[in-house]
Amino acid sequence: MQNKLMEKIISLCKRRGFIYPSSEIYGGFSAIYDYGPYGTELANVIKREWWKAMVQKRQDIVGLDSSIFMNPKIWEASGHVSGFSDPLAECKNCNARLRVDHLLEDIGVMADEKMSEEEINEIFIKHKDKIKCPKCGKSDFTEAKKFNLLVKANLGNFTNDWTKDPTYLRGETCQGIYVNYKNVLDSNRVKIPFGIAQIGKAFRNEITARQFVFRTREFEQMEMQYFTHPDNEMEEYEKLRKIRWQYYLDLGIKKENLKWAKHENLVFYAKAAYDIEYKYPFGFKELEGVHARGDYDLSQHTKFSGKDLSYTNPVTNEKYMPHIIESSVGVGRTMLAVLCDAYNEEKERVVMKFSYKLAPIKLAVFPLLKNKPELVKKAKEIYENLSEKFMCEFDDNGNIGKRYRRQDEIGTPYCITVDFDSLEKNDVTVRDRDTMKQDRVDIKKLDKYFQKNLK
Ligand code: GAP
């Protein structure tokens, strides 16, 4: 039933131009997706809203755009080269590559990410008979091996055995923030506490490609790292948790589909870690991580780079290593939550009830008939005026009923139809997506009408 829902959402995404499988004409490319016209628009709206909340409306947070490629030592300092791995096993029957922690999770056994290969295998062997391969249903697996998720590249290395000395596509965007923290401090009027926010691509060699854009190998992260005095870390952390929770409610996500999940097994340096989970069709899963990371990141980069990243309070001269709290969420994972939250099946239609803030297209303008030049001309004029302020679409294809259904499926809040009365009375029909009620509105007042109604 829930998988059916997921299938319907995936199918709508393809049919209506939100999300396509990558390289489809070549048979696809596992765990990589492309955004179509409405997906691109939706991703842009999501990023704009995040930036507005995390940078535009915050005096104490600034933005950054660091590169995808960085000095490979950064990934040694961060612990990714030695420790950023998932346990991998193969099904001996169908050769499917599987994440052992996920297989265990599916039968209610939790495997801790800090466990060694031996520890994981001990639990895996103990439960092997209960675990079935999700692809072929058999229970015959190889031993689990830890597989590093960093994606390697040969950038700047012109030898044929570059794999011995690789560069990496960044596995998370926040490392670019940590290594620029001193630059930002020295070139901007920021004082601790302050934050640096960034949106950008990250890459992970994820073992299993499951659940559409929930887990992909190329994805975009929106991360904010907040630098605090050690004594204030937990107070700032609690504030950040509240802010991030409210952010999703303000986006229009249904409260009952959100919950907090506490990490019970913290990595050694972490003070606290919670995830905001969303109720996807496949269950409550991590949408965003909110973590208190202590001084681990700046201490590691100080150690590996030899550059002192501690902070000196300009007033008291107190010197200390700042502690970091972070908020980290993927654009694709947010998009999937937004799509699932908006999906509604009614008797005669499927309608995406995006909040007005998130709707990729806000208004659609139609001439009643496409073969009446006077209607088309008037509708085009209205489209041109409104598109100065709102993301609009012009559509003269098919009958009005079909055009409404199409706009319902992409979640457009209002449709405007120009008919013969419009030529006489200078007014149009405005149809509301959710109630399907129609209103007659003076063309001169459309701008104000939507400024008010789209709030
Ligand atoms: N800097 C912390 C960090 O990267 P994470 O829990 O590994 O922490 C943070 O990732 C967020 O990034 C996740 O909550 C999720 O929204 C997104 N994310 C992580 N891996 C992803 C993947 N393979 N595909 C899509 N989104 C992903």
Side-chain angles (χ1 to χ4, degrees), residues 84 171-172 174 178 204 206 213-217 219 221 223 225 286-289 291 293 326 328-330 333:
F84 190 47
E172 57 180 7
C174 59
Y178 304 144
R204 296 183 187 177
E206 298 285 358
V213 290
F214 179 80
R215 192 182 309 284
T216 50
R217 294 187 178 134
F219 57 100
Q221 280 188 316
E223 297 202 291
Q225 308 291 315
E286 174 181 346
L287 167 61
E288 145 156 9
H291 311 133
R293 303 180 55 87
E326 78 168 346
S328 173
V329 59
R333 238 176 239 197

Side-chain angles (χ1 to χ4, degrees), residues 46-275:
I46 288 169
K47 287 186 268 184
R48 265 203 307 274
E49 286 301 322
W50 186 87
W51 197 260
K52 194 168 160 191
M54 300 311 280
V55 181
Q56 189 179 327
K57 288 167 91 173
R58 295 286 300 252
Q59 277 185 25
D60 55 343
I61 302 179
V62 292
L64 181 80
D65 191 359
S66 69
S67 357
I68 286 172
F69 284 105
M70 295 187 280
N71 190 315
K73 270 196 190 150
I74 288 170
W75 303 104
E76 283 170 34
S78 66
H80 282 75
V81 172
S82 58
F84 190 47
S85 52
D86 284 333
L88 162 79
E90 263 186 50
C91 168
K92 286 188 186 165
N93 181 54
C94 71
N95 298 329
R97 293 199 177 100
L98 304 158
R99 251 181 85 168
V100 173
D101 53 335
H102 286 166
L103 292 174
L104 289 166
E105 205 180 300
D106 289 345
I107 57 158
V109 178
M110 299 318 263
D112 184 343
E113 60 188 61
K114 287 177 296 183
M115 281 177 177
S116 66
E117 232 165 60
E118 291 71 42
E119 287 167 321
I120 287 264
N121 272 313
E122 207 172 292
I123 314 179
F124 190 36
I125 290 162
K126 192 169 149 202
H127 295 281
K128 238 177 187 171
D129 295 342
K130 278 182 267 162
I131 300 172
K132 301 232 174 315
C133 169
K135 268 207 174 153
C136 71
K138 292 269 162 43
S139 296
D140 195 7
F141 304 102
T142 61
E143 271 193 5
K145 284 227 160 357
K146 286 239 174 172
F147 178 78
N148 192 285
L149 303 187
L150 280 180
V151 178
K152 293 187 180 115
N154 66 348
L155 191 90
N157 185 330
F158 303 98
T159 62
N160 284 329
D161 58 355
W162 61 270
T163 48
K164 290 190 192 122
D165 191 15
T167 42
Y168 302 98
L169 276 80
R170 64 182 173 199
E172 57 180 7
T173 55
C174 59
Q175 296 301 328
I177 295 181
Y178 304 144
V179 298
N180 274 295
Y181 141 85
K182 199 84 178 159
N183 280 335
V184 172
L185 200 59
D186 293 343
S187 59
N188 285 263
R189 308 176 100 221
V190 287
K191 284 200 293 286
I192 279 185
F194 76 97
I196 304 177
Q198 156 153 255
I199 301 178
K201 290 265 176 155
F203 302 82
R204 296 183 187 177
N205 228 344
E206 298 285 358
I207 296 166
T208 43
R210 293 202 302 185
Q211 295 144 344
F212 200 33
V213 290
F214 179 80
R215 192 182 309 284
T216 50
R217 294 187 178 134
E218 173 178 342
F219 57 100
E220 230 172 341
Q221 280 188 316
M222 305 184 278
E223 297 202 291
M224 195 283 294
Q225 308 291 315
Y226 201 74
F227 300 83
T228 73
H229 186 283
D231 294 348
N232 300 335
E233 180 180 6
M234 292 319 289
E235 187 190 329
E236 293 293 350
Y237 179 68
E238 287 311 322
K239 271 201 240 167
L240 184 62
R241 278 186 58 199
K242 284 203 184 100
I243 288 169
R244 294 306 300 158
W245 179 260
Q246 189 57 42
Y247 162 83
Y248 289 106
L249 301 183
D250 292 345
L251 276 190
I253 303 282
K254 295 184 192 100
K255 198 174 176 180
E256 64 271 24
N257 289 338
L258 293 168
K259 74 169 190 198
W260 282 108
K262 186 177 180 197
H263 289 210
E264 294 303 341
N265 298 305
L266 292 175
V267 276
F268 69 92
Y269 54 80
K271 296 278 184 55
Y274 278 83
D275 293 336

Side-chain angles (χ1 to χ4, degrees), residues 9-22 32-40 42 212-213 332 335-336 339:
I9 291 171
I10 294 172
S11 151
L12 183 140
C13 283
K14 170 89 199 299
R15 190 172 71 246
R16 290 300 183 201
F18 283 94
I19 303 171
Y20 310 128
S22 159
I32 309 272
Y33 289 89
D34 297 337
Y35 295 148
Y38 300 121
T40 307
L42 183 55
F212 200 33
V213 290
M335 193 188 293
L336 186 57
L339 286 163

Side-chain angles (χ1 to χ4, degrees), residues 375 378 382 417-429 439-446:
L375 297 184
K378 189 125 202 125
I382 293 173
T417 305
V418 176
D419 54 22
F420 292 102
D421 277 352
S422 309
L423 303 176
E424 307 259 305
K425 298 186 188 146
N426 211 37
D427 61 6
V428 284
T429 301
D439 216 0
R440 212 59 203 176
V441 181
D442 186 334
I443 292 176
K444 282 204 246 56
K445 294 189 180 148
L446 280 175

Side-chain angles (χ1 to χ4, degrees), residues 281-306:
F282 39 85
F284 268 108
K285 295 276 176 209
E286 174 181 346
L287 167 61
E288 145 156 9
V290 188
H291 311 133
R293 303 180 55 87
D295 67 358
Y296 177 75
D297 306 292
L298 293 186
S299 297
Q300 283 295 99
H301 287 304
T302 295
K303 195 165 126 196
F304 277 71
S305 69

